[in-house]
């Protein structure tokens, strides 16, 4: 009706207080007219996956219809089932209309199919009057615990759902509690403050205290989009550290997700002729390998072979994640019930995929690739994988040293039963010790680590020419292939590979690993490696900026901060040109949060002591963040030239040891201490 | 074929190593004939519940058929679905036949319906020859974690299932590990030794490390029968203590099962007009009240009203269970994440169901019943429940004292957020403190506690006459009702009610509770109460013998041991005449194990110290048992006049404090100490 002015104010949320609740409120105001209004409230199971353009030719229907019904006059409900995995999904929606003097009676008519149901609510609106519509929804799946049947429980729950305002209030309180644990405060830079909160809010939507008790992993693209089909990759390496120090229950839940899939990782190793546990590069529901074997190049329209499942380094990342979770939490129970078994089985896998080369007197690993996905194999070779990826081999040298000492850290009874159960021998442990001293690492000239053996034979790319020819060369692989060239022919990287080592380990840790291996590590090693690889990295993965921001900190604060800002702005600005709509990048979002503690505060745990080594960055003046270390919540504040650490009041009277340089203080519940920097 | 002699040897197991595995082996020997043999291997989803005669008129079909199929030549599989709760249940069976020189090819024919499938395996047998048939089965449900779809995963798993012998070996090793944690050794009495192991084996079949991670409670009748329809009652009070000190992960899992149903307990309280959490007397899948409201009397054939849901004391039992779990384990994480919230909500419920009687200057609780099910109401009354059941009121006085101190034990941050979340006020805590000092307890003459207010007005029963008239008067309620008499008219008890207090608490604990309440507790209180109630107890519940065995220990060792032996023999001998076939009695089985530590060793935890006060019972000479206290495994051995406590070697270098009388020793990992008694 021409000329009618209507105001619609909408509020909606999915509750952080109750994972089964969502709600929607519409306030409709007739500004200059009076008359009848109809509002349709529906539940729809005909939804299909169509959020990623290049997947649209794949099957996008994932739901079977089951039934819909009305369980009371103001409630509609619906249950559907996933087509392959037989999971039921049920929703019930109660819709009520409120005028200024309370609930209104409305005409309701019903439209109902097996997989769709709606009520039409009719009422009259007077000029200037506002009407509020509350649609409260309960959601259950057959994977939920403590339920009877998903549809019945959804209906029961929506019947008990209070008002929109009450539920919103609970939702807000739950978020406030999360912010108390997670808010990194940066008073000196509003943009950074905004982006950190933006990232934390997304991380906590995908990994929340609710998901901690579910059998769910952390999908690389969050729960926001369909890219990567919800698969679990290695991004956990970037995602866990932020959570380890704030909500370790979540990390523990994610690690248990991996533990429940240990048998599948064992089967994957066995089927490939290895021992122990080989975690898949991409996985889903039951933990089997789900990596695609062909990949569509949108530039050429061709399906190209995909060998990325040879990124065996995911198993090293899982080992690293367990170890760092244990360092941050001291969670002995997890170590005994799951962690030790996983770490040992991963070490066992690495010792079986490696072989001893008597000529070099070194252990070597062939047929794998590193994180850099531009190199899946040698040029002109049909064999997938490379020889001696340095990142992989050094991670293995590191983890073998830990794994070899692990059995001795277990209580006698658990050690005995675990050894029996997985038939672990002393001989294996001896081999692991040897591998920690004898993994082979290839080098180029002048102390630069070679990304893999044979890197030196590749061609240099004419970077200037490509930068001139293309607006964006992040996905140089697609560009080169569309030109008929194989990226594996060139000295180029999609993302940090070798350089990642300098991000994951402190320099003194790396020095120790190198010296144990009998390789030299000098004060110039980091600088030379970063310089060499930075010049050849296209940053085709957003994670690359996170890594380079961290490693540049040791070289040049400004470059580090520039890279950091790219990473911080990458999802909000959709720097990859369209990928954010397909799902946020969990690794970058959580990695940019972690970098504040890991790099800018210089956090590291040694011998049960949490050390800081802050960098003086003007943007971070007054930085203040909460950290949970070994059960105790502490607040860390960076003041000019000083670092203040205060511990919460804790009736259990726990304490933590905090160090800055040579100063180490035991800080008890309720105490604080200010370190001079 | 007349005259043919055939030997069939059968072995079968459900694996303790892998909860998805079961296996069956038949060895068939043709002693004096040669000829063709057919073996049928089937999966059958047409099973119905018909194990309890008096339930047979109720619906016993719980499965819908879905589909059956053959996934490879030697594998059949089947998936069905529960009719109401929509849970899928899938099985796959691989059957192979082995001769003396390895696997045999056999003829296989198939018979297949939606809910039943079998293969017929045909082969020839020569005289004197043995043939071995292995049927390996994998089992998954849609509630399992880390699966894709139950049928597919069952088929994948059975394909990876090794041989019968390998799987049996893993099964044995898993049981050996459990026995290391759980075996109570009684070298001086073979019968008791046998029965304790019999009970432990049943307890561990129902509550195992596998169930710890599932959303399952502990059904009163185990997993062995259909009695009580799998419902969860209060028997946990008797079941947890044995597990708390051996496999606390299991108790923790069971407590989390309760925690996940806290919202349902809140709803139950709210719907009844109370605050906090009122746990249901009987519950199942989603934790709602499932107690029947009528009950069939097999003696009279009549359906009689059942008011047993007024046994609100189940919520006190849950509080007690949480508290004692925390005492045995020191599991702060559970306290913070679930335990405190449950305890506070339970206290809140009790403070809302109680009312203050200014005349008495006491808090009273009306309309509930105690554990004794012969008294659901007053004679001739139609109102369910009784006034001031002493057991309930004293449990409430005890728990209020703990609940009031609980918030101060939480770390500041958790205290603040929990208080906000559940809107806990200082006023409430003040009321709890007051209730711990002012609960009303009714007394008869001479310091005997009155089971409830008004007990003194009931009639004495002519026990001698009934004992003469009936072989077994355990279920006097059914006998009296069949005679047209109401049991609530008489001074008689089905099972320990008031007396249970002397089992759950040490005398000095009770003295403290009584003195806080301003009631007198003398050295004669226990003896007088036990004597009074023992003379009036029919022991209609097997749990009653456990309780009386415990309390008689303070009066007369011989009587205690006699009662104990009745409890020990009750399931193996089916003393209730047929109830064991309907399901074992978990409370008795676990209670008889607990009594060894609780009563005969006199275990109690005070101020984080585990005290022992052993009784000299000849049957228990040389008693030796493992206990896990606050994470550390210790072995406790009762020698003549001495008690030896040794701690396992534990690289975490934990220690525990052990006391006997005034002697308290800190025992470190790897150390042992012998106390003189």
């Amino acid at each position: 009706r021409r000329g009618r002015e209507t105001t619609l104010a909408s509020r909606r949320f999915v509750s952080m207080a109750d994972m089964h609740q969502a709600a929607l409120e519409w306030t409709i105001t007739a500004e200059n007219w009076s008359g009848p209004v109809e509002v349709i409230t529906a539940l729809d199971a005909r939804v299909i996956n169509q959020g990623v353009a290049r997947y649209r030719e794949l099957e996008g229907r994932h739901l079977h219809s089951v039934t819909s019904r009305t369980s009371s006059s103001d409630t509609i409900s619906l249950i559907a089932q996933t087509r392959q995995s037989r999971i039921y999904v049920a929703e019930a929606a109660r819709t009520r209309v409120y005028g200024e003097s309370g609930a209104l009676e409305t005409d309701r008519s019903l439209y109902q199919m097996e997989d769709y149901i709606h009520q039409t609510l009719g009422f009259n609106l007077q000029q200037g009057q506002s009407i509020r519509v509350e649609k409260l929804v309960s959601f259950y799946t057959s994977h939920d615990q403590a339920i009877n049947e998903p549809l019945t429980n959804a209906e029961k729950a929506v019947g008990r759902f209070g008002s929109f305002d009450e539920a919103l209030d609970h939702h807000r309180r739950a978020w406030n509690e999360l912010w108390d644990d997670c808010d990194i405060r940066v008073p000196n830079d509003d943009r950074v403050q905004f982006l950190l909160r933006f990232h934390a809010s997304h991380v906590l939507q995908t990994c929340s205290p609710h998901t901690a008790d579910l059998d769910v992993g952390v999908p690389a693209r969050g729960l926001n989009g369909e890219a990567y089909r919800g698969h679990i990759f290695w991004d956990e390496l970037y995602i866990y550290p932020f959570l380890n120090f704030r909500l370790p229950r979540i990390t523990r839940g994610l690690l248990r997700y991996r533990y429940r899939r240990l048998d599948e990782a064992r089967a994957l190793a066995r089927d490939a002729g290895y021992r122990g546990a080989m975690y898949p590069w991409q996985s889903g529901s039951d933990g089997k390998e789900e990596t695609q074997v062909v990949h569509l190049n949108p530039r050429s329209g061709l399906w190209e072979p995909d060998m990325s499942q040879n990124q065996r380094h995911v198993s090293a990342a899982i080992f690293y994640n367990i170890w760092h979770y244990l360092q941050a939490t001291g969670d002995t129970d997890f170590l005994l019930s799951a962690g030790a078994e996983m770490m040992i089985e991963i070490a066992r896998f690495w010792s079986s995929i490696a072989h001893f080369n008597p000529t070099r007197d070194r252990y070597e690993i062939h047929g794998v690739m590193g994180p850099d996905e531009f190199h899946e194999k040698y040029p002109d070779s049909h064999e997938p994988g490379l020889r001696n990826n340095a990142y992989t081999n050094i991670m293995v040298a590191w983890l073998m040293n830990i794994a070899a000492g692990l059995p001795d850290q277990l209580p006698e009874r658990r050690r005995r039963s675990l050894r029996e159960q997985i038939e672990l021998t002393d001989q294996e442990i001896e081999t692991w010790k040897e591998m920690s001293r004898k993994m082979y690492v290839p080098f180029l000239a002048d102390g630069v680590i070679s990304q893999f053996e044979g890197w030196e034979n590749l061609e240099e790319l004419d970077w200037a020419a490509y930068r001139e020819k293309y607006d964006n060369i992040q996905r140089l692989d697609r560009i080169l292939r569309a030109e008929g060239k194989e990226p594996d022919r060139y000295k180029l990287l999609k993302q940090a590979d070798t350089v990642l080592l300098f991000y994951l380990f402190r320099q003194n840790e790396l020095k120790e690993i190198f010296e144990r291996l009998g390789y030299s590590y000098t004060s110039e090693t980091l600088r030379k490696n970063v310089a060499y690889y930075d010049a050849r990295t296209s940053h085709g993965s957003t994670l690359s900026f996170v890594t380079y921001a961290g490693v540049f900190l040791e070289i040049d604060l400004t470059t580090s901060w520039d890279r950091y800002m790219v990473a911080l702005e990458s999802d909000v600005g959709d720097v990859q040109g369209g990928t954010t709509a397909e799902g946020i990048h969990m690794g970058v979002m959580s990695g940019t949060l972690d970098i504040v503690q890991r790099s800018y505060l210089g956090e590291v745990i040694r011998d049960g002591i949490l050390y800081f080594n802050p960098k003086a960055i003007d943007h971070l003046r007054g930085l203040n963040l909460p950290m949970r270390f070994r059960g105790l919540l502490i607040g860390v504040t960076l003041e000019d030239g000083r670092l203040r650490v205060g511990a919460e009041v804790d009736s259990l009277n726990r304490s933590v040891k905090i160090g800055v340089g040579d100063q180490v203080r035991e800080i008890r519940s309720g105490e604080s201490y200010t370190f001079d920097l």
Side-chain angles (χ1 to χ4, degrees), chain A:
Chain A
R1 317 271 173 100
R2 193 179 298 271
R4 281 194 174 183
E5 276 179 30
T6 311
T7 303
L8 171 66
S10 168
R11 295 193 294 172
R12 59 184 180 168
F13 63 91
V14 175
S15 177
M16 188 56 91
D18 179 342
M19 70 171 178
H20 302 289
Q21 286 189 345
L24 176 69
E25 181 201 60
W26 275 10
T27 306
I28 305 167
T29 311
E31 301 293 354
N32 61 356
W33 55 274
S34 298
V37 177
E38 282 190 351
V39 170
I40 293 175
T41 176
L43 295 172
D44 191 353
R46 299 166 311 178
V47 290
I48 60 170
N49 278 16
Q50 54 173 3
V52 176
R54 66 187 175 285
Y55 293 170
R56 280 188 201 142
E57 284 180 61
L58 308 174
E59 177 61 89
R61 292 173 305 146
H62 292 300
L63 292 176
H64 272 309
S65 59
V66 181
T67 194
S68 68
R69 65 190 188 194
T70 45
S71 62
S72 73
S73 64
D74 60 5
T75 301
I76 53 176
S77 60
L78 181 147
I79 182 164
Q81 186 177 32
T82 59
R83 284 155 55 95
Q84 188 270 328
S85 52
R86 299 189 199 253
I87 299 167
Y88 288 101
V89 179
E91 289 182 315
R94 203 185 75 200
T95 313
R96 291 180 183 169
V97 181
Y98 297 87
E100 272 144 30
S101 53
L104 289 188
E105 285 300 307
T106 60
D107 293 332
R108 286 174 192 257
S109 66
L110 187 69
Y111 176 78
Q112 181 170 17
M113 300 190 295
E114 256 190 356
D115 53 5
Y116 176 84
I117 183 168
H118 82 222
Q119 278 185 335
T120 304
L121 281 56
F123 49 88
N124 281 297
L125 201 51
Q126 301 305 315
Q127 183 167 339
Q129 198 190 22
S130 289
I131 288 283
R132 222 163 43 76
V133 182
E134 283 190 6
K135 180 180 183 179
L136 310 179
V137 178
S138 288
F139 176 94
Y140 282 81
T141 83
S142 54
H143 272 341
D144 282 321
Q145 297 188 311
I147 62 163
N148 177 317
E149 184 278 320
L151 184 60
T152 319
N153 278 88
E155 289 165 351
K156 180 158 75 174
V158 90
R160 290 174 182 168
F161 205 139
S163 68
F164 181 93
D165 280 335
E166 276 167 25
L168 180 60
D169 188 46
H170 282 112
H171 170 66
R172 280 203 181 113
R173 271 193 251 172
W175 265 108
N176 285 343
E177 218 186 308
L178 289 181
W179 284 117
D180 278 353
D181 278 332
C182 296
D183 192 27
I184 299 176
R185 285 171 291 274
V186 181
N188 211 29
D189 190 322
D190 289 349
R191 181 70 187 167
V192 170
Q193 178 67 84
F194 164 75
L195 291 168
L196 290 174
R197 288 185 174 150
F198 177 72
H199 287 188
S201 77
H202 273 289
V203 169
L204 295 172
Q205 285 173 57
T206 301
C207 303
S208 79
H210 299 294
T211 65
D213 289 332
L214 301 178
D215 182 38
V216 294
V218 50
R221 306 297 284 274
L223 300 174
N224 306 62
E226 295 157 20
Y228 302 161
R229 306 169 185 81
H231 285 176
I232 313 301
F233 290 70
W234 75 313
D235 313 57
E236 296 167 341
L237 191 64
Y238 292 86
I239 298 166
Y240 287 9
F242 172 69
L243 297 169
N244 280 343
F245 281 112
R246 284 164 192 87
L247 298 163
R249 271 188 59 218
I250 297 176
T251 328
R252 185 188 164 103
L254 294 170
L255 287 171
R256 290 204 76 90
Y257 174 90
R258 289 293 197 179
Y259 180 66
R260 283 189 287 267
R261 286 150 183 83
L262 178 59
D263 269 346
E264 200 62 42
R266 284 179 173 127
L268 192 63
R270 202 166 51 235
D271 292 349
Y274 304 126
R275 300 188 66 214
M278 178 167 90
Y279 275 92
W281 175 238
Q282 296 186 27
S283 59
S285 56
D286 69 353
K288 69 174 192 292
E289 176 64 80
E290 304 276 9
T291 308
Q292 66 281 356
V293 291
V294 289
H295 189 100
L296 180 67
N297 184 341
R299 280 195 176 269
S300 65
L302 291 179
W303 288 91
E304 294 162 353
D306 187 321
M307 300 172 179
S308 60
Q309 65 178 274
N310 293 303
Q311 291 190 59
R312 302 300 176 211
H313 62 83
V314 58
S315 289
I318 292 172
F319 189 110
Y320 181 97
N321 294 338
I322 298 168
W323 182 249
H324 283 264
Y325 166 79
L326 293 171
Q327 293 308 304
T329 61
D331 184 350
T332 308
D333 185 56
F334 180 76
L335 173 71
L336 301 186
S337 67
E341 187 179 351
M342 288 167 88
M343 289 195 279
I344 286 172
E345 288 289 49
I346 289 171
R348 189 176 240 178
F349 156 67
W350 286 115
S351 78
S352 79
I353 196 177
H355 66 273
F356 184 69
N357 178 344
T359 316
R360 282 184 170 143
D361 191 28
R362 289 277 178 187
Y363 285 87
E364 303 192 12
I365 297 173
H366 293 186
V368 304
M369 53 185 282
D372 167 26
E373 295 187 307
F374 287 177
H375 295 278
E376 297 188 324
K377 59 177 186 59
Y378 289 103
D380 303 324
S381 167
H382 292 290
E383 289 276 294
L386 305 158
R387 290 190 307 280
N388 295 314
N389 169 260
Y391 169 77
T392 304
N393 285 16
I394 291 171
M395 287 295 276
V396 169
W398 167 78
L399 70 85
M400 283 302 180
N401 183 49
I402 289 172
L406 204 54
D408 285 342
Q409 285 186 45
L410 303 179
E412 189 182 21
R413 177 84 181 70
R414 178 66 189 139
R415 178 168 63 243
R416 212 173 56 220
S417 69
L418 182 61
R419 286 188 64 144
E420 234 174 64
Q421 188 192 326
I422 63 173
E423 292 165 1
L424 179 67
T425 66
D426 288 340
Q427 181 50 51
E428 285 184 272
I429 297 171
E430 281 311 307
T431 305
W432 301 350
K433 283 184 194 159
E434 200 174 74
M435 287 176 72
S436 76
R437 295 189 309 266
K438 292 195 174 178
M439 284 304 302
Y440 174 68
V441 180
F443 286 91
L444 304 174
D446 201 23
V448 172
I449 303 163
S450 180
Q451 184 171 316
F452 49 79
E453 200 176 342
W455 169 272
E456 64 278 11
N457 302 326
L458 306 183
E459 298 171 29
E460 291 281 8
L461 186 80
D462 184 349
W463 289 84
Y466 277 91
R467 287 214 172 83
E468 188 154 327
K469 189 165 170 193
Y470 296 93
D471 282 351
N472 183 327
I473 59 161
Q474 288 187 305
R475 291 306 299 262
L476 256 177
D477 55 335
R478 291 179 179 165
I479 293 172
L480 287 167
R481 286 209 178 94
E483 290 182 355
K485 296 171 186 161
E486 285 301 311
D488 58 29
R489 194 166 294 283
Y490 301 96
K491 290 177 174 162
L492 57 85
L493 288 74
K494 181 178 173 190
Q495 65 189 104
D497 187 303
T498 307
V499 166
L500 183 54
L501 294 165
F502 300 93
Y503 180 78
L504 295 177
F505 299 104
R506 308 288 140 199
Q507 295 226 50
N508 55 359
E509 285 177 286
L510 271 182
K511 191 161 192 285
E512 207 179 276
I513 297 167
F514 272 61
E515 287 174 356
R516 194 183 303 118
L517 288 168
Y519 295 118
S520 107
Y521 189 98
T522 73
S523 59
E524 290 302 298
T525 303
L526 180 147
R527 185 188 303 268
K528 283 180 186 166
N529 278 276
V530 172
Y532 180 85
Y533 287 107
D534 183 43
R536 290 163 180 82
T537 303
S538 80
H539 303 298
S541 160
T542 48
L543 290 174
S544 196
F545 292 105
V546 174
T547 312
Y548 276 99
V551 297
F552 262 111
L553 200 60
E554 304 288 324
I555 301 168
D556 172 21
L557 292 190
T558 308
T559 308
S560 166
W561 192 258
D562 289 347
R563 300 291 172 97
Y564 183 54
M565 286 310 297
V566 176
L568 265 181
E569 296 278 2
S570 62
D571 258 333
V572 79
D574 194 10
V575 293
Q576 289 191 334
T579 69
T580 299
E582 298 173 353
I584 54 110
H585 296 78
M586 278 293 285
V588 176
M589 287 200 162
S590 193
T592 49
L593 295 163
D594 174 38
I595 252 192
V596 177
Q597 64 195 11
R598 173 193 295 264
S599 305
Y600 296 126
L601 278 180
E603 154 270 314
V604 67
I605 300 168
R606 277 200 315 271
D607 305 325
I609 302 164
L610 176 60
Y611 285 94
F612 293 103
N613 179 21
K615 299 288 181 296
I617 293 193
D618 199 50
H619 300 274
L620 298 179
R621 275 174 60 195
L623 171 71
N624 169 231
L625 49 81
M627 292 180 84
R628 191 172 288 280
F629 179 54
R630 307 224 162 172
L632 195 63
L633 191 71
I634 58 174
V636 181
T637 309
L638 191 55
E639 297 161 356
D640 287 332
R642 285 179 310 181
L643 186 84
R644 207 182 91 88
V645 179
E648 72 172 331
V649 175
D650 170 37
S651 58
L652 306 169
N653 201 23
R654 288 177 288 199
S655 65
V656 290
K657 287 185 183 154
I658 306 292
V660 171
D662 292 338
Q663 307 171 70
V664 175
R665 293 280 155 179
E666 182 160 4
I667 301 182
R668 293 217 154 264
S669 144
E671 296 176 354
S672 74
Y673 186 78
T674 302
F675 294 90
D676 286 323
L677 298 176

